[in-house]
Amino acid sequence: MTTKLCVWGNSLGVRLPKYVVERTAVKAGDYLFITVTDGGEIVIRPVKPRGVHPGYGPVGKKAKTKSVVPTDAEVAEKW
């Protein structure tokens, strides 16, 4: 599938076609992990958020976020 690189402010952005969004179940606000191969290819994949343990966080206050996004090192780790 081909898509056009667009200028957004001082950056470049890629629009994800509806087909890609539906197939991957990504939505606005989700995090994407971007890598560049030695051959110059750009690989973009969604990062799945992990739930926060109910006992973790400030006592007596409701946490502002409901998920934790793994670090780049955790995402790159292979099992």
Side-chain angles (χ1 to χ4, degrees):
M1 179 175 290
T2 302
T3 188
K4 187 176 180 180
L5 200 57
C6 302
V7 176
W8 289 343
N10 292 328
S11 302
L12 295 177
V14 176
R15 293 184 192 191
L16 299 177
K18 184 177 179 182
Y19 169 79
V20 173
V21 172
E22 289 172 348
R23 292 283 311 262
T24 59
V26 295
K27 60 187 178 308
D30 285 355
Y31 288 89
L32 301 174
F33 186 74
I34 303 171
T35 54
V36 179
T37 66
D38 290 337
E41 292 180 333
I42 301 168
V43 179
I44 303 173
R45 62 185 176 130
V47 176
K48 303 279 188 216
R50 297 181 293 181
V52 176
H53 187 276
Y56 183 78
V59 178
K61 292 184 178 179
K62 189 173 182 179
K64 290 184 180 179
T65 58
K66 295 186 179 183
S67 64
V68 176
V69 177
T71 64
D72 291 352
E74 291 174 324
V75 172
E77 184 179 37
K78 298 195 183 209
W79 289 80

